[in-house]
Amino acid sequence: MPLDAICLKALVSELKGQLTGLKIDKVQQPERDQIILTLRGPGASSRLLISAGTGDARVHRTDASFENPQNPPMFCMLLRKHISGARIKSVVQPPLERAVDLTLECVNALGETGEKHLIAELMGRYSNIILTDSDGRIVDCLRRVDAVMSEKRQVLPGLFYRLPPMQDKRDPLDVSKEDFLSLFTQAPGEKTAEKWLVETFSGLSPLICRELAARAYGDTDIRAGEILKKDGGAALGAAFLGLASDAKAGRFQPYLLVKPDGKPFDFSFTMIRQYGSAMQLEHAESFSSMLEAFYTRRFASERMRQRSVMLTKTVRNAHERVRRKLEFQRMDLDKTKNRERARELGDIITANFHRIHKGMTVLKAEDFYAPDGAAVEIKLDAKLTPQQNAAKYYKEYTKAKTAENVLKEQLVLGERELSYLKSVLEEIARAEGERDLAEIRQELAETGYIKRQKPQKSGKRVKQPEAAPMRFVSSAGLDIAVGRNNVQNERLTHREAFKTDVWLHAQKIPGSHVIISTNGGEADEQTLNEAAALAAWFSQARESGKVPVDYALVKYVKKMPGGRPGMVTYTDYKTIVAVPDEALVEKLKRK
């Protein structure tokens, strides 16, 4: 659901007490439409996320980590110049607008104190982040809107900031019982209560309007005509005015609607009962934690999917090419199975040279290879001599025998290549940020699947800093490292791990290399189980119930000769069955 005006009112009420008085220590822009403010104060610190994304516009405190781009965007640099070190004086929501206004006390280059406003407009595809000076003049904004884009309202540096045009709707917090019933008597009979409420009152989302209908009549799709016959809208008015009374009094509670599979479905500032047992209703600790749970992880995976779509397409195309090539090679290998018959026919021709003369097209002779010695007809080339016809069949036999050996080698290499490309697709699916994708691109460039990026104008290639493996600590206190991609897997296993450390990997499927640092000792059973769960989670079998995981000492793990990065062979191993467990992954993360 969009963050409607009343839910935003509840959020702003919460943020006022948490943010007022804090200073802006850092400004980051990890995404094109996302700003992170690191805030500090006496004995307090916080991080504020402001998103102007089309489907995830919001403002809330966050504990999530975000990866910064290598070069900060221009808007980020401008914010750093103007608001770094500023103190938050107030957090305000313009009356029933989907906007949040942060009033900031700033000190300019001359040491003079003044005010600026950082305004987050949370209006779907029209969302924006705008910085104004104390006079209300726009310093700059995330998305500039000129007269071509909008005749009614321009948002450009130098112009005075104006709120979006008011909608021709009533304020739900300023309606009496008589007003409501009078308005409802004019509702078209075929229109649902939900649609009428959305079109008549500002600040209410469709979810809340359906909930009001469900509270009043137990039916989210009930129509106005039916309601007028029942009670003239009295029950709907009572539900509406009750909600408005709670909103005016600040009686808000953050609730998440969760699907049976555990994924967040929706959220609200009041209890939602319209879905019955189809949804679980969970009370969140705060509105910020509610929005964090609903948006951050959900949209992080979607953003990564969008970022990696071209990379995924490239690898999938390569995977398909290798798969088709393997199919043709298997077909050619099947054809070589009849090569012995070509040699036999050559022998029969040789034994019957005396009966063949040039110009014959068919030799009919006894097949001394057949159990019953039956006659066989052998095709001959009329242009060739008997000796040349025999040589032709022997050559076919030799060619098929050589092809069999070559094809078997090619099939082994092809299967390895297919396995490698599957592992790269798994890497892309597990990528958590641009740095992960950059390492995968570099890996694909080194293996020849994509072209290397051209060096910058200076002529020097900018080398990306190597990302560190994911780090965990077992319940027994042993360090566990997990590779993020094939190159990192190889570096972790063959360069960083000690021979006495324990290596783990999901059995026969793409996944991360997992290393338990034993410090020369042995890994306890609980640590092995926890590391196996990590290997299962960071593998292609993440959604499976149980995953077999092989483990061995690092000294028994060898790089596959001629193999792609991360491909290994191993001996002296054991297998443990693990269950992928996200909660355990979060618990073991090194803080």
Side-chain angles (χ1 to χ4, degrees), residues 181-219:
L181 294 176
S182 175
L183 288 167
F184 192 71
T185 57
Q186 303 170 36
E190 73 281 358
K191 190 164 286 187
T192 62
E194 173 210 339
K195 193 165 184 181
W196 179 79
L197 287 167
V198 168
E199 292 177 353
T200 306
F201 299 99
S202 62
L204 298 178
S205 69
L207 174 71
I208 293 299
C209 295
R210 287 196 302 273
E211 182 64 20
L212 291 174
R215 289 179 182 182
Y217 306 104
D219 183 358

Side-chain angles (χ1 to χ4, degrees), residues 419-462:
S419 177
Y420 169 72
L421 291 169
K422 285 179 182 177
S423 72
V424 175
L425 287 171
E426 175 62 21
E427 285 176 24
I428 296 171
R430 288 189 284 106
E432 296 180 350
E434 184 56 40
R435 180 176 289 183
D436 289 347
L437 292 179
E439 286 200 347
I440 295 169
R441 289 190 194 97
Q442 185 176 344
E443 175 185 336
L444 291 172
E446 290 174 355
T447 50
Y449 286 101
I450 61 175
K451 291 182 179 179
R452 288 186 180 274
Q453 292 184 347
K454 292 181 179 179
Q456 297 181 349
K457 290 182 179 179
S458 62
K460 296 180 180 179
R461 190 182 301 279
V462 177

Side-chain angles (χ1 to χ4, degrees), residues 149-420:
M149 300 168 70
S150 173
E151 294 180 359
K152 294 182 179 180
R153 177 178 180 250
Q154 288 80 54
V155 184
L156 294 168
L159 299 182
F160 284 102
Y161 174 76
R162 293 180 293 113
L163 285 169
M166 293 289 291
Q167 292 180 311
D168 187 20
K169 294 182 180 182
R170 294 291 299 271
D171 182 347
L173 306 185
D174 188 26
V175 176
S176 66
K177 179 180 178 181
E178 292 73 21
D179 287 340
F180 183 90
L181 294 176
S182 175
L183 288 167
F184 192 71
T185 57
Q186 303 170 36
E190 73 281 358
K191 190 164 286 187
T192 62
E194 173 210 339
K195 193 165 184 181
W196 179 79
L197 287 167
V198 168
E199 292 177 353
T200 306
F201 299 99
S202 62
L204 298 178
S205 69
L207 174 71
I208 293 299
C209 295
R210 287 196 302 273
E211 182 64 20
L212 291 174
R215 289 179 182 182
Y217 306 104
D219 183 358
T220 57
D221 297 320
I222 191 168
R223 299 187 180 275
E226 187 180 347
I227 293 173
L228 288 169
K229 288 179 183 177
K230 280 189 174 187
D231 61 4
L236 184 63
F240 177 90
L241 293 170
L243 184 79
S245 175
D246 288 343
K248 284 188 283 189
R251 292 190 289 267
F252 303 114
Q253 293 291 325
Y255 285 100
L256 264 176
L257 283 166
V258 181
K259 294 180 182 180
D261 62 4
K263 294 181 179 178
F265 172 73
D266 218 327
F267 61 86
S268 182
F269 57 89
T270 186
M271 295 184 78
I272 303 295
R273 297 295 191 189
Q274 61 188 270
Y275 295 103
S277 59
M279 294 285 171
Q280 290 181 324
L281 193 64
E282 294 184 0
H283 186 272
E285 293 181 3
S286 65
F287 280 93
S288 282
S289 64
M290 177 188 77
L291 294 174
E292 180 95 309
F294 183 79
Y295 281 114
T296 303
R297 287 183 52 203
R298 176 181 172 186
F299 282 90
S301 59
E302 177 61 20
R303 284 175 185 272
M304 287 308 301
R305 188 194 67 77
Q306 292 173 357
R307 279 180 175 185
S308 62
V309 64
M310 291 306 297
L311 202 58
T312 301
K313 184 178 179 182
T314 299
V315 179
R316 280 184 177 159
N317 288 343
H319 182 276
E320 184 61 18
R321 285 197 302 272
V322 174
R323 187 191 63 78
R324 288 199 305 267
K325 183 179 177 181
L326 284 171
E327 280 186 6
F328 289 128
Q329 287 175 338
R330 289 190 188 100
M331 290 169 59
D332 290 339
L333 184 62
D334 285 338
K335 292 176 183 177
T336 66
K337 292 178 180 178
N338 295 322
R339 68 178 185 278
E340 287 297 328
R341 187 55 179 164
R343 181 184 60 78
E344 291 173 357
L345 295 177
D347 289 346
I348 294 171
I349 292 173
T350 301
N352 288 275
F353 276 165
H354 62 284
R355 298 175 54 191
I356 305 172
H357 56 81
K358 192 172 182 180
M360 287 180 61
T361 58
V362 176
L363 168 65
K364 188 172 183 180
E366 179 186 353
D367 184 358
F368 42 77
Y369 286 103
D372 56 358
V376 63
E377 291 186 353
I378 304 173
K379 289 183 179 180
L380 301 176
D381 189 334
K383 297 178 182 179
L384 302 179
T385 64
Q387 291 81 2
Q388 289 172 332
N389 271 295
K392 180 183 174 182
Y393 280 98
Y394 287 135
K395 185 177 181 180
E396 183 181 329
Y397 163 76
T398 304
K399 184 179 178 181
K401 186 176 180 181
T402 303
E404 180 186 37
N405 295 331
V406 172
L407 285 169
K408 283 181 177 179
E409 292 177 3
Q410 291 299 314
L411 284 169
V412 170
L413 294 175
E415 291 291 353
R416 286 183 189 173
E417 200 73 6
L418 208 62
S419 177
Y420 169 72

Side-chain angles (χ1 to χ4, degrees), residues 533-544:
L534 291 174
W537 178 258
F538 293 105
S539 77
Q540 197 177 51
R542 175 177 290 192
E543 303 299 327
S544 303

